Amino acid sequence: METKQLSYFVLACQYRNHAEAAADAGMSSSALSENISQLEQDLGIKLFQRGPLGHYPTEAARWLYQRVEPILQRIEAAEDGTYAAIPAPARRLEVSTPLQFTLGRLSRAISLSVRYLRKEHPQVIPRVRFDVPIEEDQSDLPAHVAIRYGDDKTPYEDALLYRDDWIAVTNYERAGEPGRSLDFDALRRLLILAPPLLPAQRRLVRAYCAAHDLPEPIATAEDVGTFPYLSRETRAWAMLAPRSLVAVGASRLQLDYAVLPVELSSPVVAHVTGTAQPARTFVDHLQRVLSSPPRPVVYDPRITLRQMRYFLALMDQLNVTAAARKLHVVQPALSSQLRKLEATLGVNLFERQRTGLKPLADAHGLAGLFRDGVEACDQLVVQANRIAPGDAQKITIGVVPLATHIGPLSEALAAAISEWTGQHAAIKLQLVEAPATALHRWVEAGEISFAIVETQVSRSSQLDLRNQDRMVVVTKSVDAILPPGDVELATCTTLPLILPSPVFGLRQLLDQAAESEGLAFAPDMEINSIAMILALVRRMRLATILPETAIQNVARAEMFQINPIGSPSIYRRLSIVFSTDRSLTDAERALVELLKMRLADASREEAHPLEPGLND
């Protein structure tokens, strides 16, 4: 892995295919592809896949892009001299957003704004993080920029970046002209979908559909950068989404898009916390870049990763002989790379003395910069090894958090795993619990083999386990909040509730059901641990909502009271979701089949329980 390969990778990610990227860079398409292939081999992950227009980046590539770009930014800073001599410790500027990273308009504008900010404030090092929940933002940071969707209904003081108009990505009338308008009659004949969205945007699109008599949009976990399932869907569908979220992925796969009959848009705003001037300067640059014609972010590093490693060894040892010994290279090779580095930078980094090397001012300024870059590259390899999907000696599966160890889901998992490990003793199995949102992301990024999640996606993207689990209100038995029996959904929204946050599939299911009835859940607490939620319900006058089978065994021990939800009833369904970037191994397929079998057995047992005394 070398810095040139990283720069070629970043370039290729911003174009529809390798040929366009190579032509713009003035190089042959084969040379670009060879460098990227070598990078894929070095990291052991698949970064591009072939589509109708050529190769385009996978979700793993977008993961890598966000980690590679800061490395290239530090090298660029070293080469242009902005960080060559920092008089004081560098200050960080935190830039975070809950919006997804899709290599689109916003991500490119942020990258260019970081470059412009560095020239004005070289002592500031921005850290950009996408897909960070807004509640995690730290208001006590000296400089922080939060980029998010605003609300037209209430005035806000945030800086308006642009208005993100909504479009319909669709496979309807493929011969139609992209950008045409679909009328409501045409939309009503289609399967209406919505991509992963923030709660406010989910409410916005549902309200839009309700106002125009459109079908209720089905929430999906589709990766809108690659459209792995919908690009092959034969049913007529339309996904309503903000343009900046879906336009890049749709164009790479030649999916059509249509303008909505009645305009729908979401303002994208930047909120600055603190009074640090660099944060406000960054937002000024961001507004300017977003108002200009879009252009790619191009890096052309002349400093190599080898030169950075050699330089750091010299800084640590202050002796050429000792540094060469540490690096396991001969002294002439080390000295040659140092001369090339100094020639690239146009400065001398060391004063040669009889007792060794004395670092000059520029060397001190570069040491921290290079050390961060080398450590980040080393970490890339470690992290890539964790998400590499081809390791036949290890299988990682994900599951939504389990309420107890004696419920049908946990029992089915235990039975399937016990039988499978007896047949595949040489393979290490790892099971992780996480909210459905995270599991979908990990599956598509190749970090886990597959996952068991609540059904919140279109049928084409999952293996439906065909089980149905009624949602119930859970309270403590003593001093019960509710009388026994069914409880209406409207009553549930008024209870003192403790629920998981919206990243959980269960919470998304509840919010969707409430919104369809014109209601909303406003829990007293949000805790992303089912076990902790149950512990607090046992000790406090609180209620929670869980699948009935997950809690009924505990309820039988008279620890909890359960009240089924009616008017309307809400049901959870489970699915197994996969990544389309690779084929399952024989061992993985065997585990999937066992899980399907045991979960089906558990569903049948719940539907036809044994007589009392026989179901121990």
Side-chain angles (χ1 to χ4, degrees):
M1 181 173 63
E2 260 303 346
T3 56
K4 272 292 184 183
Q5 292 174 343
L6 300 181
S7 68
Y8 293 154
F9 160 74
V10 167
L11 180 71
C13 283
Q14 300 175 73
Y15 287 84
R16 292 192 303 175
N17 53 56
H18 290 359
E20 289 185 6
D24 198 49
M27 61 186 301
S28 69
S29 179
S30 60
L32 180 68
S33 297
E34 287 171 7
N35 276 277
I36 291 174
S37 295
Q38 185 60 54
L39 182 61
E40 288 181 321
Q41 292 179 27
D42 292 342
L43 295 177
I45 55 178
K46 185 177 182 180
L47 299 174
F48 291 87
Q49 59 193 44
R50 182 174 291 281
L53 298 177
H55 288 85
Y56 62 93
T58 63
E59 188 165 354
R62 296 198 299 282
W63 165 83
L64 182 64
Y65 189 107
Q66 295 180 82
R67 287 151 182 80
V68 162
E69 195 170 31
I71 299 171
L72 295 174
Q73 287 169 348
R74 280 159 174 73
I75 295 173
E76 188 176 68
E79 292 178 351
D80 64 23
T82 52
Y83 284 124
I86 301 176
R91 291 185 290 157
R92 290 196 177 275
L93 168 63
E94 298 286 337
V95 180
S96 61
T97 174
L99 308 182
Q100 295 183 62
F101 183 84
T102 57
L103 287 167
R105 177 185 184 186
L106 182 60
S107 61
R108 295 184 189 185
I110 288 177
S111 298
L112 290 171
S113 300
V114 167
R115 178 179 288 172
Y116 297 141
L117 177 69
R118 187 184 69 237
K119 297 181 183 300
E120 295 184 41
H121 298 278
Q123 77 282 9
V124 176
I125 300 179
R127 182 177 71 158
V128 180
R129 296 182 299 159
F130 277 80
D131 209 14
V132 177
I134 208 69
E135 60 266 24
E136 290 187 7
D137 294 344
Q138 301 297 319
S139 59
D140 58 347
L141 291 172
H144 182 215
V145 178
I147 300 171
R148 57 195 177 189
Y149 283 121
D151 186 352
D152 278 333
K153 295 182 179 179
T154 56
Y156 50 82
E157 299 179 355
D158 303 328
L160 177 64
L161 299 178
Y162 63 97
R163 300 198 65 83
D164 202 357
D165 60 306
W166 288 58
I167 59 176
V169 177
T170 180
N171 65 348
Y172 175 68
E173 292 184 353
R174 291 182 182 271
E177 181 182 353
R180 68 192 186 281
S181 177
L182 281 180
D183 58 34
F184 286 123
D185 286 339
L187 285 172
R188 292 185 189 106
R189 295 194 295 270
L190 306 179
L191 178 68
I192 303 298
L193 306 174
L197 296 168
L198 299 174
Q201 276 56 59
R202 290 201 301 269
R203 291 191 293 270
L204 184 65
V205 68
R206 286 176 185 145
Y208 183 89
C209 290
H212 299 291
D213 196 25
L214 293 175
E216 171 80 7
I218 300 173
T220 78
E222 183 80 345
D223 172 20
V224 294
T226 59
F227 286 96
Y229 306 108
L230 291 177
S231 60
R232 301 192 300 271
E233 178 61 72
T234 57
R235 293 173 295 173
W237 58 269
M239 174 181 281
L240 309 189
R243 182 188 296 269
S244 65
L245 180 66
V246 296
V248 174
S251 66
R252 285 174 172 147
L253 291 163
Q254 289 184 311
L255 290 171
D256 294 336
Y257 71 89
V259 177
L260 298 181
V262 174
E263 181 182 358
L264 179 66
S265 67
S266 299
V268 179
V269 301
H271 176 73
V272 176
T273 301
T275 58
Q277 184 57 42
R280 302 193 179 279
T281 301
F282 173 82
V283 172
D284 290 342
H285 285 305
L286 192 53
Q287 288 178 305
R288 178 175 58 83
V289 173
L290 285 166
S291 65
S292 305
R295 57 192 178 92
V297 184
V298 179
Y299 297 95
D300 185 22
R302 292 169 293 152
I303 298 174
T304 67
L305 183 59
R306 176 188 297 181
Q307 290 169 354
M308 294 164 66
R309 293 189 188 279
Y310 285 9
F311 166 78
L312 291 174
L314 289 169
M315 285 292 291
D316 292 339
Q317 302 296 322
L318 295 180
N319 182 281
V320 175
T321 302
R325 188 181 303 115
K326 178 181 178 181
L327 294 167
H328 304 290
V329 299
V330 295
Q331 292 186 37
L334 178 57
S335 299
S336 174
Q337 290 298 324
L338 176 60
R339 287 194 297 271
K340 290 179 180 179
L341 176 61
E342 290 177 325
T344 297
L345 298 174
V347 297
N348 292 325
L349 298 175
F350 297 97
E351 179 182 333
R352 280 71 170 173
Q353 298 178 337
R354 288 195 307 170
T355 56
L357 300 175
K358 177 183 178 182
L360 300 177
D362 289 303
H364 288 293
L366 289 171
L369 196 65
F370 282 2
R371 203 174 300 279
D372 286 347
V374 169
E375 290 177 355
C377 284
D378 293 341
Q379 193 63 25
L380 275 183
V381 177
V382 174
Q383 293 173 340
N385 285 336
R386 291 174 181 168
I387 71 171
D391 184 3
Q393 297 305 309
K394 178 180 177 182
I395 294 177
T396 302
I397 64 174
V399 63
V400 291
L402 305 174
T404 71
H405 69 285
I406 54 176
L409 178 55
S410 54
E411 291 287 353
L413 279 170
I417 290 172
S418 176
E419 185 174 348
W420 181 87
T421 52
Q423 302 168 0
H424 302 85
I427 302 178
K428 181 179 180 180
L429 178 65
Q430 183 178 23
L431 188 144
V432 295
E433 282 188 344
T437 303
L439 293 176
H440 279 294
R441 186 169 62 249
W442 294 346
V443 165
E444 289 306 320
E447 297 182 37
I448 59 180
S449 301
F450 55 86
I452 302 174
V453 299
E454 295 95 355
T455 301
Q456 289 288 314
V457 296
S458 62
R459 293 179 182 176
S460 60
S461 65
Q462 63 199 7
L463 174 62
D464 192 349
L465 293 172
R466 300 185 182 278
N467 67 328
Q468 188 163 277
D469 202 350
R470 183 171 54 173
M471 301 295 290
V472 297
V473 178
V474 183
T475 56
K476 62 181 180 180
S477 299
V478 180
D479 190 23
I481 297 175
L482 293 168
D486 288 6
V487 57
E488 294 186 355
L489 181 60
T491 302
C492 296
T493 61
T494 66
L495 296 174
L497 286 171
I498 175 171
L499 296 174
S501 74
V503 300
F504 273 63
L506 285 176
R507 176 64 183 278
Q508 295 169 14
L509 183 67
L510 294 174
D511 285 343
Q512 182 176 348
E515 288 173 16
S516 66
E517 298 295 312
L519 305 169
F521 283 102
D524 293 19
M525 288 189 232
E526 289 186 348
I527 295 180
N528 289 349
S529 166
I530 302 299
M532 183 55 65
I533 287 176
L534 290 175
L536 289 173
V537 168
R538 285 188 63 188
R539 289 163 175 79
M540 300 176 66
R541 192 172 176 77
L542 292 169
T544 191
I545 302 175
L546 291 172
E548 184 175 18
T549 61
I551 194 65
Q552 63 184 10
N553 287 330
V554 179
R556 287 170 184 160
E558 298 183 356
M559 298 165 60
F560 296 106
Q561 173 179 304
I562 61 175
N563 294 77
I565 298 175
S567 301
S569 297
I570 308 173
Y571 294 90
R572 179 186 76 166
R573 296 176 69 90
L574 291 175
S575 301
I576 296 179
V577 291
F578 307 85
S579 171
T580 57
D581 282 351
R582 67 184 183 92
S583 300
L584 293 178
T585 65
D586 291 341
E588 289 170 335
R589 282 196 295 271
L591 181 54
V592 168
E593 291 304 316
L594 282 170
L595 287 171
K596 286 169 53 183
M597 186 184 307
R598 297 306 174 213
L599 286 167
D601 291 344
S603 296
R604 284 193 291 270
E605 289 175 6
E606 291 302 321
H608 305 285
L610 299 175
E611 293 296 326
L614 300 178
N615 195 20
D616 295 331

